[in-house]
């Protein structure tokens, strides 16, 4: 393809908000699945590789629960919950700020993260977590943040952006409303 053809192809893909959301979601799913395939290839199950002693490891852990391994052992139920969440979020996205680029990024991250973990639940039987941050204790034990993956990061970032956009939108709406008892100078 010529450079002009590449740009017109890219413009066609990114022309509408839904297409931008889908493109971001596909990028997240691709990156998530690529990194998980690398974990499957280079680390045996439950194996760990220290990257920064006392702070960060690559691990190969399975999670049949939700965040922080809550509801452990409910992989099938959580797969159904993920599907329902995808449908509900897709149908209600217009209630949020999904018309701005930042809103589209947020929903793309959320959708991509949910799909990435859903793929694991269906194909592997658990979510593959591999990023583990911890602090080494003096006695030799570890205090760690629960292991996570690219999909988890995308979901958390997307949800954080939705909260931020909603807060900003509500704050802006309050500043546009006149104080109680005052008449608006805007048209009736």
């Amino acid at each position: 393809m010529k450079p002009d053809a590449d740009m017109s192809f890219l413009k066609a893909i990114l022309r509408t908000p839904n297409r931008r959301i889908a493109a971001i979601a596909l990028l997240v799913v691709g990156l998530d699945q690529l990194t998980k395939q690398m974990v499957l290839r280079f680390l045996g199950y439950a194996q760990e590789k220290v990257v920064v002693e006392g702070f960060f490891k690559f691990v190969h852990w399975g999670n049949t629960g939700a965040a922080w391994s809550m509801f452990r052992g409910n992989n099938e139920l959580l797969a159904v919950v993920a599907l329902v969440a995808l449908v509900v979020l897709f149908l209600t996205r217009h209630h949020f700020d999904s018309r701005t680029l930042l809103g589209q990024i947020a929903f793309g991250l959320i959708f991509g993260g949910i799909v990435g973990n859903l793929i694991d639940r269906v194909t592997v039987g658990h979510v593959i977590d591999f990023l583990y941050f911890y602090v080494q204790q003096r006695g030799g034990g570890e205090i760690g943040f629960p292991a996570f993956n690219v999909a988890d990061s995308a979901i958390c970032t997307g949800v954080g952006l939705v909260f931020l956009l909603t807060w900003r939108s509500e704050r802006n709406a309050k500043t546009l409303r006149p104080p109680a008892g005052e008449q608006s100078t805007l048209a009736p």
Side-chain angles (χ1 to χ4, degrees), residues 66-103:
W68 296 287
S69 296
M70 292 187 300
F71 313 113
R72 186 177 302 161
N74 291 296
N75 191 60
E76 294 82 11
L77 175 63
L78 291 169
V80 171
V81 168
L83 279 172
V84 170
L86 277 172
V87 171
V88 169
L89 282 171
F90 180 77
L91 295 175
T92 62
R93 71 194 181 287
H94 63 278
H95 290 293
F96 300 95
D97 191 4
S98 63
R99 292 168 301 285
T100 65
L101 182 58
L102 198 53

Side-chain angles (χ1 to χ4, degrees), residues 3 40 49 53 66 76 96 160:
L40 290 172
K49 174 71 176 154
E53 184 67 42
E76 294 82 11
F96 300 95

Side-chain angles (χ1 to χ4, degrees), residues 8 16 31-32 76 134:
S8 63
T16 67
L31 182 60
D32 177 65
E76 294 82 11
Y134 67 100

